[in-house]
């Protein structure tokens, strides 16, 4: 009898477990300012500075804001001055991030979006000299 009660209690406890909250990618993206942490190849190897052109290197000095009204802004990390503005949209069931901002424009494949990291993949668009694809890893800017 004790075993039946114990089994019933165990099933009840596991059945009452809270379901994990799924946060929409648009809310995660717009909750943070983001900074580019690194460029990497698709195998995860960090690209060196000599593999990046000056436009790609300039992206490191900016913080990116993706507001929930689909406005995006690039701010100088030191002066906090807005240098560029444009739009952003998640497309294709949140699998593509379309960014339209001067100096950082394109449709980027979403590899990962979490509150701690955003990884976007771009086809080689002359910003780098390595491989056909490049991953851009962003971290929250504090």
């Amino acid at each position: 009898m004790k075993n039946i009660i114990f089994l019933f209690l165990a099933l009840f406890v596991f059945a009452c477990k809270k379901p994990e909250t799924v946060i929409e990618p648009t809310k995660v993206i717009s909750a943070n300012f983001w900074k580019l942490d690194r460029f990497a190849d698709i195998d995860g190897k960090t690209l060196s500075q000599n593999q990046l052109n000056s436009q790609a290197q300039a992206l490191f000095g900016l913080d990116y804001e993706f507001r929930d009204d689909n406005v995006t802004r690039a701010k100088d990390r030191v002066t906090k001055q807005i240098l560029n503005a444009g739009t952003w949209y998640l497309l294709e069931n949140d699998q593509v991030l379309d960014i339209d901002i001067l100096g950082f424009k394109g449709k980027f494949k979403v590899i990962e979006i979490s509150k701690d990291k955003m990884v976007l993949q771009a086809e080689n668009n002359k910003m780098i000299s390595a491989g056909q694809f490049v991953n851009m890893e962003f971290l929250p800017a504090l």
Side-chain angles (χ1 to χ4, degrees):
M1 182 70 175
K2 287 182 184 180
N3 288 340
I4 293 174
I5 292 173
F6 177 74
L7 181 61
F8 177 74
L9 285 173
L11 289 173
F12 180 76
V13 168
F14 287 112
C16 293
K17 186 178 178 181
K18 271 188 174 178
E20 288 187 27
T21 305
V22 177
I23 301 175
E24 294 179 41
T26 55
K27 292 189 186 298
V28 174
I29 293 171
S30 63
N32 293 315
F33 277 84
W34 297 92
K35 66 179 179 179
L36 181 62
D37 183 52
R38 72 182 187 126
F39 283 96
D41 65 18
I42 58 173
D43 295 322
K45 181 182 173 195
T46 300
L47 301 179
S48 65
Q49 291 291 329
N50 64 354
Q51 293 175 289
L52 308 173
N53 70 16
S54 59
Q55 180 184 4
Q57 291 178 20
L59 297 177
F60 285 107
L62 303 172
D63 288 335
Y64 301 92
E65 178 185 27
F66 297 94
R67 296 178 5 175
D68 58 5
D69 61 357
N70 295 101
V71 171
T72 186
R73 301 187 300 183
K75 293 168 49 170
D76 183 276
R77 187 166 293 135
V78 175
T79 66
K80 304 298 183 200
Q81 186 175 27
I82 297 171
L83 301 179
N84 295 324
T87 59
W88 72 278
Y89 296 95
L90 274 170
L91 307 172
E92 300 177 28
N93 293 322
D94 301 334
Q95 299 300 307
V96 174
L97 181 59
D98 184 7
I99 301 172
D100 188 357
I101 188 172
L102 184 64
F104 188 40
K105 180 177 180 165
K107 291 184 179 179
F108 303 93
K109 181 180 177 182
V110 174
I111 303 298
E112 176 183 344
I113 295 177
S114 70
K115 65 178 183 156
D116 301 318
K117 189 177 190 181
M118 177 169 62
V119 180
L120 305 176
Q121 187 175 83
E123 287 193 49
N124 187 348
N125 57 0
K126 300 180 183 172
M127 292 174 54
I128 60 163
S129 63
Q132 182 179 355
F133 298 98
V134 62
N135 289 346
M136 298 175 291
E137 295 185 10
F138 293 86
L139 300 175
L142 304 175

